[in-house]
Each structure stands twice: as C-alpha cells, then as structure tokens.
C-alpha cells in the first residue's frame, strides 16, 4: 500500500510538472483575454493601469505574456523590463522589414484588435535566439497597447 502511495505521488508530480512546462508559453486565447483586461483597466485609470502593466501586479503578466504600451512619440510607457525607450529608432521590424512601432501606430484603432508577426528574443531569458511572435494590439486613448505570444 505504501508503494502504491509513493508511485501515485510520483506520477502526480510528473504530471503536474508537464502541465507547468506546457503552460510556460502563453496562448493566443490568454493574450486576447489579457488585452481585453488592459483595455478595461486603462479606461478606469490610465496611470494606475500603466503602473500595473509595468509591475505585473493585478494579473497583468500571465506565463510569458505581458501588456506593453507606447505613446504617440513611440516612447514605451508600460513594459515589464523597459520604460522610456523610443521604439521607433532601431526598434523591431515586422516580417516584411517594416518598422514595427510605426506600423502598429498607423494601424491601431480604438475598439479594433489588429495583429502583426515579427521575430524577437524572449525577454525572460538570457538567450539571443529569436522566435516568431504574434502581437495583438489596439489603440486605447492616446496609447497603442498590445500583448504578444510566441508561436
């Protein structure tokens, strides 16, 4: 009986570990939900929302998903690692080689979720390897905000 309990505990531990590893990368559905949450928080209190997005408090970071925002001058106003950086100059490019920030700023519309794909390294690792990423974004007041997930 004791062996069966030990085996059951071992099995459950291994099963749980696989679930945790499987959920390390956020999904499209989680990104959509996080973007919806960002809109609601932003419309309640813009400054508090930007603070929550940066600190990750209030459930604004899920697995490797996070909310980011940038102002009309392309300055990042919310991000878990980078604030105040101008992403227009030397920022990432979309898969067609276009300036990602400029594309997002031009296409973002209030109440409409747009998406763009590009390659980017994972911010929560030390690796320089780039991965395909899809970002869902929208315009909220004067900001462009988005949530990206790795494909």
């Amino acid at each position: 009986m004791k062996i069966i309990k030990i085996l059951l505990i071992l099995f459950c531990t291994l099963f749980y570990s696989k679930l945790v590893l499987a959920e390390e990368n956020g999904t499209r559905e989680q990104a959509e939900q996080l973007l919806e949450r960002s809109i609601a928080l932003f419309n309640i209190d813009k400054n508090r929302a930007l603070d929550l997005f940066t600190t990750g408090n209030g459930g604004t970071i899920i697995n490797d998903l996070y909310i980011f925002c940038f102002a009309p001058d392309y300055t990042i106003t919310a991000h878990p690692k980078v604030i105040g950086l101008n992403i227009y100059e030397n920022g990432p490019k979309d898969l067609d080689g276009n300036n990602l920030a400029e594309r997002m700023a031009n296409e973002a519309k209030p109440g409409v979720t747009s998406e763009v794909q590009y390659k980017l390294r994972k911010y929560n690792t030390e690796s320089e390897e780039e991965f395909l990423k899809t970002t869902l974004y929208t315009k909220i007041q004067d900001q462009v905000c988005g949530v990206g997930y790795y494909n």
Side-chain angles (χ1 to χ4, degrees):
M1 187 67 165
K2 195 172 193 178
I3 293 176
I4 292 174
K5 284 183 182 179
I6 292 171
L7 289 175
L8 184 59
I9 291 170
L10 181 61
F11 175 75
C12 289
T13 304
L14 290 173
F15 181 73
Y16 177 75
S17 297
K18 288 188 180 230
L19 284 177
V20 170
L21 290 175
E23 293 179 358
E24 183 177 311
N25 289 328
T27 65
R28 180 183 181 89
E29 292 76 24
Q30 290 172 319
E32 290 169 344
Q33 291 169 357
L34 200 51
L35 185 59
E36 288 296 320
R37 183 181 301 159
S38 73
I39 294 166
L41 290 170
F42 205 96
N43 286 325
I44 292 169
D45 184 338
K46 173 184 173 180
N47 292 329
R48 178 76 174 126
L50 293 172
D51 182 58
L52 289 172
F53 303 163
T54 299
T55 62
N57 293 331
T60 58
I61 294 179
I62 300 172
N63 298 326
D64 65 345
L65 301 177
Y66 57 88
I67 303 164
F68 69 89
C69 297
F70 64 89
D73 67 355
Y74 300 100
T75 301
I76 295 177
T77 55
H79 189 283
K81 294 285 185 188
V82 183
I83 296 292
L85 179 73
N86 184 301
I87 57 171
Y88 184 81
E89 301 166 7
N90 302 316
K93 308 278 187 216
D94 67 14
L95 293 179
D96 296 324
N98 301 311
N99 182 296
L100 186 61
E102 183 177 31
R103 178 178 171 179
M104 291 172 68
N106 289 336
E107 294 178 2
K109 308 252 183 297
V112 176
T113 299
S114 301
E115 70 179 72
V116 64
Q117 288 190 328
Y118 53 102
K119 291 197 172 193
L120 190 70
R121 71 176 205 81
K122 293 186 178 185
Y123 86 94
N124 58 352
T125 70
E126 297 300 318
S127 172
E128 294 297 319
E129 183 179 0
E130 291 187 335
F131 298 88
L132 184 63
K133 188 169 189 175
T134 300
T135 290
L136 309 174
Y137 62 94
T138 191
K139 185 161 190 166
I140 313 172
Q141 297 177 24
D142 67 334
Q143 305 272 310
V144 174
C145 295
V147 178
Y149 63 93
Y150 291 96
N151 301 54

